[in-house]
Amino acid sequence: MGAFKVEQVAVGYSNMLIIDELSVSIPKGEITTIIGPNGCGKSTLLKAISRILKTKNGSVFLDGKDIHRLGTKEVAKKLAILPQTAEAPGGLTVYELVSYGRFPHQKGFVSLKREDYEYINWAIDVTGLNELKDRSIDALSGGQRQRVWIAMALAQDTEILILDEPTTYLDLAHQLDILLLLQKLNREEGRTIVMVLHDLNHASRFSHYLIAMRDGTLITEGVPEEVMTCHHLQKIFHIEASLATCPFSANPICLSYQLCKESNVMQ
């Protein structure tokens, strides 16, 4: 059974339909990355499977159950979400924000327990935030804030992590740190990771499964070797790509590319 099964889903904002009749399965216990050009519906799909956006038609199943029939806390115990843009209340420290990740595991107004503190401290440690844990969120750089949000998602201790562009604002080394951490969580703890990435080479290197979209439509899906082909990249991005093999993963990478002659730059 997959982690998610999306059946004939239509979803959008107000009267604007972004995705229509899309069906896809997301494997359990693996890293799945959604790729595609800006505005193709990648983030919209993430919001649909995490119940942030209600579908207009179709169904989303989480572990075989209709996600819209599950209670909010039940969903929060199964999946943690890192949105593309996250806003924290003013005045919070790093430690305080990360501790919010334990909310789904609390009953009423009971104080944090020893187990909660262990998860909070672990999440701060693995994201390299120990020296910043007492600092105000307002005083952090964009990259530091991103790591705090990831730490909060990790503190939630869920089977599934959903991340919308988790490497945004991060330099090359910190991008790699985050992706290696997600890979470690998958390999050692069997966590299902679902994310959106713009960097094709990162997507191919760190993913077991790729979902490629364009204009709200599924173009192709499969393992990186099946999706990262010149033919598919031409359909997805309207580019002519030169491909090679990643020395670290043996998966395909894009060495360079140019626009297809018949493509408009702004298309």
Side-chain angles (χ1 to χ4, degrees):
M1 181 186 295
F4 292 98
K5 188 173 183 181
V6 178
E7 293 185 345
Q8 297 294 302
V9 156
V11 62
Y13 306 89
S14 299
N15 295 324
M16 182 181 294
L17 202 62
I18 305 297
I19 295 173
D20 191 16
E21 295 187 0
L22 187 144
S23 296
V24 69
S25 291
I26 296 176
K28 191 171 188 174
E30 296 190 350
I31 299 176
T32 297
T33 301
I34 306 169
I35 61 171
N38 291 339
C40 73
K42 301 185 298 294
S43 296
T44 302
L45 178 58
L46 277 193
K47 290 176 182 177
I49 67 172
S50 57
R51 212 175 67 166
I52 293 175
L53 272 179
K54 189 171 183 179
T55 58
K56 297 179 183 295
N57 287 302
S59 301
V60 176
F61 295 95
L62 171 60
D63 288 336
K65 299 178 182 178
D66 188 331
I67 197 169
H68 291 287
R69 295 182 181 273
L70 299 176
T72 299
K73 272 205 168 185
E74 187 178 356
V75 173
K77 287 180 181 180
K78 287 180 172 289
L79 60 89
I81 308 159
L82 176 66
Q84 193 175 73
T85 54
E87 294 289 336
L92 284 182
T93 66
V94 168
Y95 195 92
E96 288 169 336
L97 183 58
V98 175
S99 71
Y100 282 13
R102 299 305 299 163
F103 174 75
H105 301 277
Q106 293 180 276
K107 296 180 180 179
F109 296 96
V110 177
S111 300
L112 293 172
K113 299 178 181 178
R114 180 179 176 179
E115 182 183 26
D116 297 315
Y117 288 114
E118 289 175 351
Y119 277 112
I120 294 165
N121 291 329
W122 169 80
I124 286 173
D125 182 55
V126 296
T127 50
L129 293 168
N130 277 311
E131 294 182 1
L132 303 174
K133 65 182 180 181
D134 297 319
R135 192 175 296 183
S136 170
I137 299 294
D138 301 328
L140 302 182
S141 68
Q144 290 169 333
R145 291 186 190 190
Q146 189 76 341
R147 282 191 282 154
V148 176
W149 285 108
I150 291 173
M152 189 184 79
L154 293 179
Q156 199 170 323
D157 185 36
T158 59
E159 300 171 6
I160 302 170
L161 284 174
I162 297 178
L163 308 104
D164 195 352
E165 298 184 35
T167 55
T168 300
Y169 307 123
L170 301 182
D171 60 35
L172 292 177
H174 283 117
Q175 287 180 34
L176 194 57
D177 279 343
I178 293 300
L179 293 169
L180 286 170
L181 171 60
L182 295 174
Q183 186 179 66
K184 181 179 179 181
L185 291 170
N186 169 260
R187 286 178 174 175
E188 297 183 3
E189 301 182 19
R191 300 203 195 194
T192 301
I193 312 287
V194 187
M195 59 184 170
V196 166
L197 290 177
H198 275 295
D199 189 310
L200 286 179
N201 291 339
H202 280 163
S204 179
R205 174 178 172 180
F206 289 97
S207 305
H208 301 101
Y209 203 75
L210 295 176
I211 295 171
M213 299 177 63
R214 186 177 182 89
D215 298 328
T217 300
L218 177 69
I219 299 298
T220 188
E221 60 181 310
V223 297
E225 291 86 349
E226 295 170 338
V227 175
M228 286 280 288
T229 67
C230 293
H231 171 71
H232 285 140
L233 293 181
Q234 184 174 15
K235 291 181 66 177
I236 300 161
F237 296 101
H238 292 173
I239 60 172
E240 295 177 357
S242 175
L243 303 180
T245 300
C246 174
F248 305 108
S249 67
N251 288 342
I253 56 172
C254 181
L255 281 181
S256 191
Y257 60 91
Q258 63 183 6
L259 291 173
C260 294
K261 294 179 182 178
E262 66 274 16
S263 291
N264 186 294
V265 173
M266 298 302 293
Q267 191 168 14

